[in-house]
Each structure stands twice: as C-alpha cells, then as structure tokens.
Amino acid sequence: LNTRQRFLLREMGELHMTEAQVMNEFYSFMISNSLYNIGGLFLLWVAFRAAVRINDEGAPLLNKIVVTVFGISVVAINLQTQGYLEWVIQGTVNELATLASLSPSGQSFVDTFGVTESANASLIPTNPLFIVFWLSATLMFLGSVWTEKKTG
C-alpha cells in the first residue's frame, strides 16, 4: 500500500498500525525534520552574515528592509519546522495511546509527552526555551541590521 492508500484505510478505521509501525513512521519523520532543521539553521547563518555585513559596511534603507524580511522569513520557517515536530510528536503519542498494549519504551513515550484531544501545528513553540531562543535570535538579528555600528 502506498501512503495515500494507508491514510484512506486508516481514516475509514480499517487499518490498524502496530507500535513498531507507528514508531517507524515517527522515526522516518525525524530524519526529514532533522534535514529541515539543518537547512533552516544554515539559512539563519546566512541571515546573520547579511546582517553583519550591513552593520559593518552600512547599507541603503532598501537593503536593510530586504535583509530584515529575509531574516524574519527564516525565523518563521524554522518556527514552522519546530511546529511540525511538536505536531508529529503529539500525533504519535495520540496514536500510541489507542493501541491495546504498549512496550515499556512505548508507554514511556506516551507518559513523557501526554495525550491530548488533538494535535495542531503552531508557529508558537510549546517549550519556553524555544520561545526564548527564537526571540533572542530575532532580536540579535534585527539589532545587527538596524543599529549603527559604534566606531572608535
């Protein structure tokens, strides 16, 4: 069965996954999410490099605006990737919770993240440390673009 067929059967209640299948799907997602995180952090580095160049050499207003839009877009892309991670983790927990029996590691996974009614992707992280990280990265970036370099 392809992914679309599995999805349709699952929605109709005719496909039941085992714990191993659920976790395999989760681990497959984690690989792709890691690649997105690497790409997102690379783009964040590019944004900081552009901000430092603007701060070091000065730039016209249009260049500052373009670099600001790029940097904020990069932060939004990274927040979206983080939101998808939290969404998939919660979906995995909810799926595991429907199974009749779980291994100790599966039960630990469910206990760690907890079951909720529904999982929603959001640009606002649920972990306060991620909020602090992305807020500080955004402020550092904007400060580099919009403050004047001190000489002397």
Side-chain angles (χ1 to χ4, degrees):
L1 296 175
N2 66 34
T3 303
R4 176 80 176 140
Q5 290 167 329
R6 282 196 322 251
F7 174 77
L8 291 174
L9 287 173
R10 189 166 179 284
E11 288 299 307
M12 295 184 317
E14 297 178 15
L15 179 67
H16 303 282
M17 295 174 72
T18 65
E19 178 183 346
Q21 290 170 320
V22 171
M23 293 309 294
N24 187 45
E25 293 285 330
F26 174 73
Y27 294 136
S28 295
F29 166 79
M30 291 299 289
I31 293 168
S32 64
N33 189 262
S34 298
L35 295 174
Y36 276 102
N37 279 321
I38 290 168
L41 292 176
F42 173 75
L43 288 175
L44 185 64
W45 175 80
V46 169
F48 271 107
R49 290 290 304 142
V52 167
R53 293 281 306 228
I54 282 178
N55 191 285
D56 284 347
E57 299 172 12
L61 180 61
L62 180 62
N63 291 16
K64 288 183 175 186
I65 291 170
V66 169
V67 169
T68 298
V69 169
F70 176 74
I72 291 172
S73 298
V74 167
V75 170
I77 288 167
N78 279 289
L79 286 171
Q80 184 178 28
T81 302
Q82 177 66 34
Y84 287 150
L85 172 63
E86 292 177 5
W87 180 50
V88 169
I89 288 172
Q90 198 57 59
T92 302
V93 167
N94 291 349
E95 183 66 28
L96 287 172
T98 65
L99 298 177
S101 65
L102 291 174
S103 68
S105 63
Q107 188 61 51
S108 175
F109 190 85
V110 170
D111 294 342
T112 299
F113 294 103
V115 178
T116 62
E117 289 183 24
S118 65
N120 297 311
S122 173
L123 290 180
I124 301 171
T126 57
N127 187 333
L129 292 176
F130 285 118
I131 294 171
V132 170
F133 174 81
W134 287 111
L135 186 60
S136 62
T138 303
L139 293 175
M140 288 169 50
F141 170 79
L142 291 175
S144 295
V145 172
W146 292 101
T147 58
E148 297 295 324
K149 181 178 180 181
K150 294 186 180 195
T151 56

